[in-house]
Amino acid sequence: MPQSRRNAVRRLIRLLYWPLTAKAKIRLLGLAGAVTLLILAGVGGVLGAPPEADRRWALSYLFTDHAELGGVSLSLLQDPAGLVVLVVVFVTPVFCCQQVQAIGDFVQMNVRNGGAEKLSDGQVSQHNRLVRRTNKWLAALGRRDLSAAIVVAMATATFFLYGLVNTHGLMETWNPTELPDQLWRSSVYDGWWANRHTHPELAVALCAAGTYAFYFLTKQLVMGVVFTIYLYRSEAIGFGVTPNMKFDSDGFRGLRPLRQFMLWTYGSAVAHLIGLLVLFMVWLSAASWMVFVVLVVMVVDMLVIVYPSSIGYHSALVVKQDHVKMLYQTLPEGARESAITQVWSVSVLPVTTRKAMTGITLYLLVPAVPALIPVLFQRF
């Protein structure tokens, strides 16, 4: 490679990843894992469509009436469900890093916005003890022995999930043929890019990637629970979400870090739910017990998303109400109404209620989509 191009590549890497923060290292690790998986698929001949003329793409059967089953192909780039799962796998650690960064910025954000000004010395001491106790829980989550235990547990869970795929085949719910479901799903699994019998190296790579994602997802959920407990207790002390009513430094009353946290958390919940639905309703056969799995995931996400948001909304609303009372008492009557109107024209939280409700509605409707698509395909 010419020297000029090498220098351009170095500058690009430095721009994106220098200095190498934890998030940058995880992005590089995810990129390396994705490239490795593509290389293994290419070497194994299952990256794109197979050269055999007698093999037909599995999804093409969905658009054929009374299709006769022949050779079935489901290469990596022909497997939309697999691509969705892999995307969720490699972005999960990034979601976790963003959550760690946002939790670390939360207390500093509220201190900058004046959240501790109205606290008594006793309340400050009480809050400091709460912070130390919360940090101990978070530090314990990062211990090597606990991390190793989580890795072992997640590797076991991933191996179990892959065992379900290996035992029950693929895409049973999406069978468009008149053949028995068992024959259909076995034929799709035979042509699958991660078949452990024909492509063991890709099966191992998929299980390793799943362990990697579940490890970070477990830590992310535990951190969310710990942070929710902290937020509940700190709000009871009087140190909750505090918008800066004196100076709008970032366009969100000093709450931009909270906005980023909420957006990343909402995005993480939607991504993980979609990945779960793809796994259980596209790869595996949709069953009634899977509804309970989806409901458990949704309840956990609601616990670490909606409930903290409601706590934050309540504490930020109290700050705004106190500021409005101060304006009512100090400003002359002519300027009072416009100032108070300006305060209430801005959303209490840095993510508007309309957008939040839209996201929650979509989140609740997503589970119905994978269940409806096979029915639509079979009727068209």
Side-chain angles (χ1 to χ4, degrees), residues 96 99-100 103 133-151 154 214-227:
C96 184
Q99 181 169 326
V100 171
I103 291 175
R133 188 161 57 247
T134 303
N135 286 337
K136 286 182 180 179
W137 280 100
L138 296 176
L141 185 61
R143 289 204 321 257
R144 291 185 178 180
D145 55 347
L146 183 58
S147 297
I150 294 175
V151 169
M154 293 304 102
F214 281 129
Y215 168 80
F216 282 99
L217 178 58
T218 301
K219 288 202 168 186
Q220 183 182 354
L221 291 176
V222 174
M223 282 191 298
V225 173
V226 172
F227 179 69

Side-chain angles (χ1 to χ4, degrees), residues 30-334:
L31 178 61
V35 171
T36 301
L37 195 63
L38 291 175
I39 292 174
L40 289 175
V43 173
V46 290
L47 181 60
E52 296 88 347
D54 59 339
R55 283 193 171 272
R56 185 176 177 183
W57 183 29
L59 296 183
S60 68
Y61 282 93
L62 299 175
F63 303 96
T64 304
D65 294 332
H66 308 293
E68 295 183 2
L69 184 63
V72 181
S73 167
L74 196 61
S75 301
L76 178 57
L77 298 183
Q78 293 180 326
D79 185 8
L83 294 176
V84 169
V85 169
L86 290 176
V87 169
V88 174
V89 162
F90 290 120
V91 300
T92 293
V94 178
F95 288 136
C96 184
C97 285
Q98 291 293 145
Q99 181 169 326
V100 171
Q101 181 178 348
I103 291 175
D105 292 340
F106 182 79
V107 173
Q108 298 177 2
M109 174 192 72
N110 289 312
V111 170
R112 287 195 305 268
N113 294 342
E117 293 177 356
K118 297 181 180 181
L119 300 181
S120 64
D121 293 340
Q123 289 174 316
V124 171
S125 300
Q126 189 177 359
H127 179 261
N128 290 338
R129 288 194 299 270
L130 175 62
V131 169
R132 287 193 294 268
R133 188 161 57 247
T134 303
N135 286 337
K136 286 182 180 179
W137 280 100
L138 296 176
L141 185 61
R143 289 204 321 257
R144 291 185 178 180
D145 55 347
L146 183 58
S147 297
I150 294 175
V151 169
V152 172
M154 293 304 102
T156 303
T158 304
F159 181 78
F160 172 74
L161 286 175
Y162 185 83
L164 287 178
V165 176
N166 181 71
T167 303
H168 299 287
L170 288 175
M171 297 177 63
E172 177 181 332
T173 310
W174 302 67
N175 181 11
T177 69
E178 297 180 351
L179 296 175
D181 289 337
Q182 183 177 0
L183 179 58
W184 160 258
R185 70 193 188 196
S186 298
S187 300
V188 177
Y189 180 75
D190 288 340
W192 188 39
W193 59 273
N195 185 326
R196 75 175 185 181
H197 304 288
T198 57
H199 305 287
E201 69 286 353
L202 284 168
V204 172
L206 179 60
C207 290
T211 302
Y212 175 75
F214 281 129
Y215 168 80
F216 282 99
L217 178 58
T218 301
K219 288 202 168 186
Q220 183 182 354
L221 291 176
V222 174
M223 282 191 298
V225 173
V226 172
F227 179 69
T228 300
I229 295 173
Y230 159 79
L231 189 60
Y232 172 77
R233 293 179 176 175
S234 65
E235 199 271 339
I237 294 172
F239 186 84
V241 174
T242 307
N244 190 338
M245 304 308 300
K246 298 178 181 179
F247 176 66
D248 188 3
S249 59
D250 55 11
F252 299 97
R253 295 290 178 183
L255 297 181
R256 182 175 289 274
L258 179 62
R259 172 183 171 83
Q260 294 174 346
F261 174 68
M262 294 177 69
L263 292 177
W264 278 99
T265 305
Y266 290 163
S268 173
V270 172
H272 292 142
L273 181 63
I274 291 175
L276 180 72
L277 292 172
V278 165
L279 174 63
F280 282 105
M281 294 187 177
V282 179
W283 273 1
L284 294 172
S285 57
S288 57
W289 63 268
M290 294 178 185
V291 175
F292 295 100
V293 176
V294 174
L295 289 177
V296 169
V297 174
M298 293 180 65
V299 168
V300 172
D301 284 338
M302 291 295 180
L303 175 64
V304 298
I305 296 174
V306 178
Y307 182 60
S309 298
S310 65
I311 296 175
Y313 179 88
H314 177 265
S315 58
L317 180 61
V318 170
V319 173
K320 277 201 167 187
Q321 288 173 338
D322 292 341
H323 183 70
V324 169
K325 291 179 182 177
M326 184 272 295
L327 293 178
Y328 188 83
Q329 294 171 357
T330 57
L331 291 180
E333 185 175 354

